[in-house]
Amino acid sequence: MGEPQLQLKTKATNEVQFRHILNYRLFKEELSERGESELRFLEKFYATRLLIERGCNKIYVNATLATLSPTDKRNSVKVDVCGIHDTGVTLAFCETTQPTITLRNKLNRLAASKEVQILLLYPFTIDASTILDYLPPETAGRCSIEQVPWLDDTLENAFQEAMDVINLLCNETRVKMLLPLLKQTRRKREYRVRINPKLVYENIANLMEHNVLHELSSNEYTLTPIGKQILGEYLTFMQRIKKTLREFER
């Protein structure tokens, strides 16, 4: 017996456009379903970005995947986010509870479709091994689990590493020291012209400890590769927050 044929059923209005990725509010206004919880929708937004990172060139939300087997038995699976790439499709299921029979039934229908990759999203920390044991054996090797602990009781611990970096960059002096490094390297004496020397030494040590700053030679400093990415992400994030606040003040 051959593999089931797949048919994606969706609307043109459900295709994710570039403008949606840049603006959460616009994504919600144009792609949300009536009565959908904010948590579930936030997962869809996050899943869309993950599928872009995985190389999907077309992405749809709120799609239905119909499987037409060689015996003409048709099954339909409702998919939160569907990404199409060169070798097949990736289906994202945005889960807000522990694994359910409904989820298992969906995955059972997709078990024979080898070109289908599956992404399960959970807004809390979960034992991944228990989920994989719960899945049909045919899908386990094609299934990945993304856990973003938004609902964990231990939220502070779960995000502690990210919060440490945010706290690091919330300091005005440190940001003033990092921004010039986006253009070129800097020496301590150049910093001391504008900043209290004691603060320069303290903050250089702090930034190096967090692997944001790297000393080249003769007290000359540059951003580390991860430092460049973190600073870029941070500045982009701050600009988005600023834009959002301005839009709601109008």
Side-chain angles (χ1 to χ4, degrees), residues 72-85:
D72 289 336
K73 182 179 178 181
R74 185 180 292 272
N75 288 302
S76 294
V77 177
K78 186 171 169 38
V79 180
D80 294 312
V81 185
C82 174
I84 301 173
H85 45 84

Side-chain angles (χ1 to χ4, degrees), residues 92-123:
F93 296 95
C94 301
E95 301 298 308
T96 57
T97 64
Q98 298 289 335
T100 63
I101 296 298
T102 300
L103 174 63
R104 182 179 179 85
N105 290 339
K106 285 182 179 181
L107 299 180
N108 270 324
R109 296 184 196 127
L110 299 167
S113 302
K114 295 181 180 179
E115 72 269 33
V116 170
Q117 299 292 317
I118 297 165
L119 173 63
L120 302 179
L121 279 86
Y122 286 90

Side-chain angles (χ1 to χ4, degrees), residues 9 18 26 54 71 86 95 114 143 153 161 169 175 183 185 195 232:
K9 302 170 69 175
F18 183 69
L26 185 62
R54 295 188 179 195
T71 59
D86 293 339
E95 301 298 308
K114 295 181 180 179
C143 182
D153 293 333
E161 187 176 5
L169 297 178
V175 173
K183 297 175 63 177
T185 62
I195 302 172

Side-chain angles (χ1 to χ4, degrees), residues 204-217:
I204 282 179
N206 201 338
L207 292 167
M208 291 183 65
E209 180 182 350
H210 285 81
N211 197 29
V212 174
L213 208 60
H214 173 66
E215 185 173 11
L216 295 173
S217 61

Side-chain angles (χ1 to χ4, degrees), residues 23 25 242-250:
N23 191 320
R25 180 172 62 85
K242 184 177 180 180
K243 181 179 179 181
T244 299
L245 291 174
R246 285 181 174 176
E247 287 177 350
F248 278 92
E249 287 173 357
R250 292 174 184 171

Side-chain angles (χ1 to χ4, degrees), residues 185-192 201 204 214-222:
T185 62
R186 283 290 188 273
R187 298 179 183 274
K188 280 183 181 176
R189 65 171 180 267
E190 295 174 297
Y191 284 131
R192 291 197 296 262
Y201 284 97
I204 282 179
H214 173 66
E215 185 173 11
L216 295 173
S217 61
S218 303
N219 292 322
E220 187 176 8
Y221 298 90
T222 186

Side-chain angles (χ1 to χ4, degrees), residues 107-145:
L107 299 180
N108 270 324
R109 296 184 196 127
L110 299 167
S113 302
K114 295 181 180 179
E115 72 269 33
V116 170
Q117 299 292 317
I118 297 165
L119 173 63
L120 302 179
L121 279 86
Y122 286 90
F124 44 73
T125 302
I126 190 169
D127 185 351
S129 63
T130 61
I131 299 178
L132 294 176
D133 291 341
Y134 185 84
L135 299 179
E138 299 90 340
T139 62
R142 293 180 279 113
C143 182
S144 59
I145 300 167

